[in-house]
Amino acid sequence: MSHIGPLDLGKKAAVVAVILEKPFETSKKAAEMGADVLEIRMDLLGIRDPEKAAETIRQIKSETGLPVIITNRSQMEGGKWKGKEAERIKLLTDLLSHINGPEAVDIELSADKEDRDRVVKAAKIHGKTVIVSSHDFLKTPSFQQMKVTLEEAFMAGADIAKLAVMPESMRNILDLLGVTLDAREAGKVVCTIAMGKLGKHTRVIAPFYGSVLTYASIEDTMSAAPGQLPVNDVKKIMELLE
């Protein structure tokens, strides 16, 4: 599935605005800045109650008209979720069952297999897009290991396999872009990101190699991951390069 809601990612990569504070205010601003998709970070917003979370998503979708990815990131993968793992997973599966719920869900490859399978199954039942993600905040794995990680994400049920790494050299970035291009040529739907200052340019370059999503911030001073650029800047640069 290369769609998130009505968006056909096979035609054009989507700019995803990460909502990490003041959800209604920042979602509206993201839409005005030109975001294609909103990622609602439940772990960063501190929303734990399923009904409150569902109402938040319903209102955001109503006010912006944009499709939503829900993420409840584990601490192991750079998130801020502080509750029990069972509660983290249940919040995701509950939200996926709502009629006016999210169009996609992000679940970590590193999650317990049974928990991950539960989220993937709930998403498939309700026709939602599954993003299986992996983040390495310390280094860039080898070219072959990155290919293996993406393949493992697909084997876990991903519609979109997401890989974010921390480059230590420009050669690392070339390897990531090579992996991305190989995936596109093989008909695989992936999202790849080189984080940090060194990889900042991949936020606008990786889509031209086959990354179907690029994540961006709403405020210059606040981002969910190192190296994120503001939504409007990403949109502007990508349009200039098309």
Side-chain angles (χ1 to χ4, degrees), residues 223-235:
S223 66
Q228 280 185 358
L229 298 167
V231 169
N232 52 347
D233 288 346
V234 173
K235 293 282 286 191

Side-chain angles (χ1 to χ4, degrees), residues 40-238:
I40 310 298
R41 286 288 301 269
M42 294 298 168
D43 59 305
L44 297 178
L45 292 171
I47 300 176
R48 301 169 63 93
D49 177 68
E51 290 308 313
K52 181 181 178 182
E55 178 55 26
T56 298
I57 291 171
R58 186 201 66 74
Q59 189 173 334
I60 285 172
K61 290 178 62 175
S62 174
E63 292 181 358
T64 66
L66 295 177
V68 163
I69 301 168
I70 51 163
T71 301
N72 199 11
R73 186 71 72 223
S74 67
Q75 291 189 30
M76 184 188 302
E77 295 271 341
K80 299 293 185 183
W81 176 258
K82 294 180 180 178
K84 294 179 180 179
E85 182 67 359
E87 294 171 345
R88 184 177 82 91
I89 298 300
K90 187 175 186 301
L91 182 57
L92 292 174
T93 55
D94 283 355
L95 289 171
L96 288 167
S97 68
H98 283 262
I99 294 174
N100 292 317
E103 283 75 15
V105 62
D106 181 316
I107 183 68
E108 304 84 4
L109 182 62
S110 64
D112 175 80
K113 184 179 184 303
E114 287 188 11
D115 289 335
R116 189 180 66 226
D117 288 349
R118 197 171 294 122
V119 173
V120 171
K121 182 179 179 181
K124 302 288 188 185
I125 287 172
H126 297 289
K128 312 295 186 179
T129 302
V130 176
I131 301 167
V132 177
S133 60
S134 179
H135 305 78
D136 192 326
F137 291 94
L138 300 177
K139 65 183 187 308
T140 299
S142 69
F143 184 90
Q144 189 56 39
Q145 184 54 55
M146 287 191 283
K147 295 190 82 163
V148 168
T149 298
L150 290 174
E151 190 54 41
E152 287 176 346
F154 287 119
M155 291 174 65
D159 296 305
I160 302 170
K162 178 185 174 188
L163 175 62
V165 301
M166 185 64 73
E168 299 171 278
S169 68
M170 296 303 286
R171 182 68 59 184
N172 288 159
I173 295 169
L174 285 176
D175 283 345
L176 180 68
L177 295 175
V179 167
T180 308
L181 186 59
D182 283 356
R184 182 173 72 177
E185 291 177 346
K188 303 282 189 178
V189 185
V190 301
C191 165
T192 58
I193 302 160
M195 297 182 286
K197 184 177 181 180
L198 194 60
K200 188 178 287 190
H201 64 289
T202 66
R203 303 281 178 173
V204 294
I205 294 299
F208 294 93
Y209 290 80
S211 182
V212 300
L213 302 174
T214 185
Y215 289 72
S217 63
I218 293 110
E219 303 291 344
D220 290 335
T221 57
M222 182 83 65
S223 66
Q228 280 185 358
L229 298 167
V231 169
N232 52 347
D233 288 346
V234 173
K235 293 282 286 191
K236 188 185 302 180
I237 297 168
M238 285 178 65

